[in-house]
Amino acid sequence: MAKEFRVYNSMTQQKEIFKANVPGKVGMYVCGVTSYDYSHLGHARAAVNFDILYRYLQHLGYEVTYVRNFTDVDDKIIKRANEIGEDPLKLSNRFCEEYIVDMNDLQCLIPTHQPRVSDHMEQIKDMITQIINKGYAYEVDGDVFYAVEKFPSYGCLSGQKLEHNRAGERVAVDSRKRHPADFALWKSAKPGEPSWDSPWGPGRPGWHIECSAMSAQYLTFKFDIHGGGIDLIFPHHENEIAQSCAACEESKISYWMHNGHVTNNNEKMSKSLGNFFTIRQITERYHPLALRHFLISSHYKSPLNYTVSQLESSSDAIYYIYQTLQDCESALSSSQEIGSEQNKKGPRVSEAAMNCVKKMREEFEEKMSDDLQTPVVLTGAFQEALKYVNSSLKMLKKLQKKQLLELMESLTAVEKEVKEVLNVLGLLSPSTYTEVLQQFKDKALKRAGLVEDDVLRLIEERTQARINKDFPKSDKIRADLTVKGIALMDVGNETVWRPCIPSEPQEQRAPMVEEKTSNSSSESKS
């Protein structure tokens, strides 16, 4: 943990050197999803970016307790359940499980704890009781409200001032409130809704209290990092601070971190605009690694604009990485017999390879330790390392035994460092390189509306056209396939194919996916 790690703290609005409350250990809480539908790209971005943070903290040597919650009791869940005639808790449980599937596809590590609201009612009620006893909340007709005027620091995270809060913008004005900005800690039971017994009568928690209670349960009132989407700063995280400080005067979160929105062709994704995609809709046609690459191709705090061309570029970039790794693995494997003959001292890694590894490692550590600059890590020295591998592979057949052994050692060293970078970024698949490449090819065929036999038949037609010197036909077959994202490559006397970025102008292409799940989006809540 010698490397100085700097993170942007939303509370102070500046980068700060990260210092853990307990040396060597980190407590991190990230707001998860409200589970009543399939998760969308906004959820994916939050999950992937905080997964990167989780991985990098572990890379730095920290023991991390990572908590990411599920909101499985909420107005939207109840509304959806009533619409389709399903028990609210069963519905939310189903979509919690679907979210876990999506996270696995995106190679997000499993958090240390994934608490659900329905399993923490006692902790929630205990915290509400503490808040009432300390004079920060009041009960009216079975509802409990937090009295924001009792907390002078309200607005410390968002900059929102009480006098600037306009009632009725987010929820209907409740005349029983002492101040329009007061928010519900407990909601009295209504007919047809799930409820739990409490000192204030049957009911269920308000949205904000759940995260205060569950973060305190797993991390205590003092922990290192609280994360979530930028849309959660107000009111959710602002209200969390107010609640937690009311329940415990020593409550303190050291660093607040927030990821930016995902937009679609520069418009914020929303149901009303019809520009909204679920994770499943993307991964039906693009490899999850391509989606993950896209999600970290912009700095986590910046807005991320989704376009099909961006996703195509990410798909092409990952395919290139895995093709390079497979070619390297294949070459090293075929040269293994020669390598087994080397003496105990063995050949040394070349100076060029050592410089390549050193530059890649230093750039990786420097950029990741500067508030997780993932877009830079994916370029620069990392790309130079891939170029080194490819240029070295071209030299293999021309080298004498001693030189060959040195090159093998050099390639092994560079490949190892490339894999380490990919692992921290969550881009290293548990599948073999060959399996991953085939998965990418299968997705490319699906997007092109073809099966592999179609491509092989066209390759044969093109080969015959070239034999007949019918070059216009040969060129047309190749061009038509390139339009569909299939590239033909002549290797010696053989023609092979691989996915590529389609040559057709973006605006002329059909929409990437059609809306196939429910027509209501799952919002990024707690």
Side-chain angles (χ1 to χ4, degrees):
M1 286 171 280
K3 191 71 182 176
E4 194 175 82
F5 182 31
R6 297 170 66 84
V7 297
Y8 183 87
N9 189 347
S10 299
M11 179 66 79
T12 59
Q13 297 185 24
Q14 62 184 9
K15 286 183 189 176
E16 299 176 2
I17 297 171
F18 178 78
K19 292 181 180 177
N21 287 322
V22 178
K25 296 187 178 183
V26 174
M28 179 169 80
Y29 186 94
V30 175
C31 290
V33 295
T34 299
S35 53
Y36 67 100
D37 206 341
Y38 291 102
S39 297
H40 56 62
L41 288 189
H43 296 141
R45 189 181 193 197
V48 167
N49 280 287
F50 285 104
D51 180 65
I52 296 276
L53 174 60
Y54 183 31
R55 288 170 178 270
Y56 191 59
L57 286 167
Q58 290 179 320
H59 172 77
L60 292 176
Y62 288 102
E63 180 187 327
V64 186
T65 302
Y66 176 20
V67 184
R68 185 183 65 211
N69 75 299
F70 283 109
T71 295
D72 63 346
V73 179
D74 181 80
D75 292 344
K76 290 184 174 66
I77 297 170
I78 294 167
K79 182 174 183 293
R80 174 63 55 78
N82 289 340
E83 287 171 354
I84 63 175
E86 187 174 356
D87 175 76
L89 286 174
K90 285 184 179 178
L91 178 135
S92 58
N93 181 67
R94 181 157 55 87
F95 284 113
C96 285
E97 297 306 315
E98 296 291 1
Y99 176 81
I100 291 170
V101 171
D102 287 337
M103 294 303 101
N104 185 56
D105 283 347
L106 290 172
Q107 296 199 170
C108 290
L109 299 176
I110 300 170
T112 317
H113 304 286
Q114 297 188 85
R116 304 187 186 194
V117 176
S118 60
D119 294 328
H120 293 78
M121 286 298 167
E122 294 308 312
Q123 291 89 342
I124 290 169
K125 288 185 285 186
D126 287 348
M127 181 172 280
I128 294 172
T129 300
Q130 287 177 289
I131 295 170
I132 292 172
N133 291 343
K134 293 187 177 182
Y136 286 88
Y138 55 96
E139 184 262 338
V140 183
D141 303 327
D143 291 324
V144 180
F145 296 103
Y146 186 96
V148 291
E149 288 181 301
K150 294 281 189 178
F151 186 60
S153 298
Y154 192 81
C156 59
L157 178 65
S158 63
Q160 294 265 6
K161 301 300 180 186
L162 280 181
E163 58 269 25
H164 297 157
N165 284 341
R166 289 173 289 186
E169 289 193 344
R170 294 181 62 89
V171 293
V173 178
D174 189 333
S175 60
R176 300 174 303 158
K177 292 182 181 180
R178 296 176 185 173
H179 188 282
D182 290 354
F183 56 90
L185 300 178
W186 188 261
K187 298 179 178 182
S188 58
K190 295 181 179 63
E193 293 186 356
S195 64
W196 288 260
D197 289 333
S198 81
W200 320 284
R204 56 189 172 87
W207 169 27
H208 314 294
I209 190 66
E210 63 188 55
C211 286
S212 288
M214 290 190 287
S215 61
Q217 169 72 15
Y218 293 96
L219 300 171
T220 76
F221 281 96
K222 289 183 71 173
F223 60 94
D224 301 288
I225 298 169
H226 195 314
I230 195 171
D231 53 316
L232 297 179
I233 291 178
F234 187 87
H236 186 51
H237 289 164
E238 195 69 73
N239 291 350
E240 273 193 66
I241 293 170
Q243 293 164 161
S244 296
C245 288
C248 176
E249 293 176 1
E250 296 180 0
S251 173
K252 180 172 174 53
I253 294 163
S254 303
Y255 306 92
W256 288 87
M257 298 178 70
H258 296 91
N259 64 274
H261 288 301
V262 179
T263 58
N264 186 356
N265 294 320
N266 294 311
E267 289 184 301
K268 184 180 177 182
M269 284 192 175
S270 72
K271 182 182 67 172
S272 60
L273 292 173
N275 63 352
F276 180 91
F277 299 119
T278 64
I279 298 169
R280 296 286 173 91
Q281 289 171 313
I282 306 298
T283 56
E284 277 180 10
R285 296 167 65 90
Y286 290 87
H287 198 287
L289 284 176
L291 177 53
R292 186 176 177 107
H293 181 280
F294 163 70
L295 291 169
I296 65 175
S297 63
S298 179
H299 188 255
Y300 77 89
K301 285 201 302 92
S302 305
L304 176 62
N305 187 44
Y306 169 80
T307 63
V308 176
S309 60
Q310 286 280 82
L311 200 52
E312 293 280 7
S313 295
S314 283
S315 186
D316 197 60
I318 294 291
Y319 191 89
Y320 168 68
I321 291 169
Y322 274 82
Q323 185 67 68
T324 300
L325 289 171
Q326 188 205 41
D327 291 345
C328 182
E329 182 181 65
S330 179
L332 291 173
S333 177
S334 63
S335 304
Q336 195 171 16
E337 288 185 15
I338 299 173
S340 65
E341 297 173 17
Q342 61 186 290
N343 59 36
K344 290 182 180 179
K345 290 185 179 178
R348 294 186 177 181
V349 175
S350 70
E351 186 176 349
M354 286 192 293
N355 288 337
C356 184
V357 168
K358 183 172 181 287
K359 187 176 180 183
M360 183 167 37
R361 185 177 297 164
E362 287 178 351
E363 186 173 285
F364 175 74
E365 297 285 355
E366 177 191 349
K367 299 305 179 184
M368 289 295 285
S369 287
D370 181 20
D371 198 30
L372 306 174
Q373 299 285 342
T374 53
V376 185
V377 171
L378 291 167
T379 58
F382 181 77
Q383 291 297 321
E384 288 175 21
L386 297 176
K387 288 176 184 175
Y388 169 85
V389 172
N390 283 313
S391 61
S392 297
L393 292 175
K394 292 175 183 177
M395 298 165 51
L396 278 176
K397 293 181 181 179
K398 304 174 185 178
L399 299 176
Q400 299 296 322
K401 180 177 174 182
K402 185 177 179 182
Q403 294 171 311
L404 182 60
L405 290 173
E406 181 180 277
L407 188 57
M408 285 174 60
E409 288 295 309
S410 299
L411 282 172
T412 300
V414 174
E415 181 201 26
K416 181 181 177 183
E417 196 65 27
V418 166
K419 287 169 67 176
E420 177 60 23
V421 171
L422 291 175
N423 186 49
V424 178
L425 295 178
L427 294 172
L428 188 62
S429 174
S431 302
T432 66
Y433 302 147
T434 302
E435 288 169 342
V436 172
L437 291 171
Q438 186 59 51
Q439 291 160 8
F440 269 83
K441 292 176 86 169
D442 291 343
K443 296 289 186 184
L445 288 169
K446 188 170 188 177
R447 296 193 296 274
L450 301 169
V451 295
E452 189 154 25
D453 283 347
D454 296 329
V455 178
L456 297 177
R457 176 178 51 78
L458 289 167
I459 288 174
E460 182 59 36
E461 284 183 23
R462 177 174 173 269
T463 300
Q464 193 58 49
R466 295 174 76 191
I467 291 171
N468 298 336
K469 299 192 185 307
D470 187 353
F471 298 114
K473 181 179 179 181
S474 166
D475 292 344
K476 185 176 187 304
I477 290 171
R478 187 175 203 165
D480 287 349
L481 283 172
T482 306
V483 164
K484 295 183 176 182
I486 304 292
L488 300 185
M489 304 170 72
D490 297 316
V491 183
N493 296 323
E494 185 185 6
T495 300
V496 297
W497 73 273
R498 59 152 285 175
C500 69
I501 298 174
S503 60
E504 185 179 340
Q506 181 62 44
E507 59 272 14
Q508 294 179 18
R509 298 182 62 211
M512 191 200 72
V513 290
E514 295 177 0
E515 184 66 44
K516 297 203 310 184
T517 53
S518 84
N519 59 6
S520 177
S521 64
S522 181
E523 292 188 2
S524 176
K525 275 183 55 173
S526 70

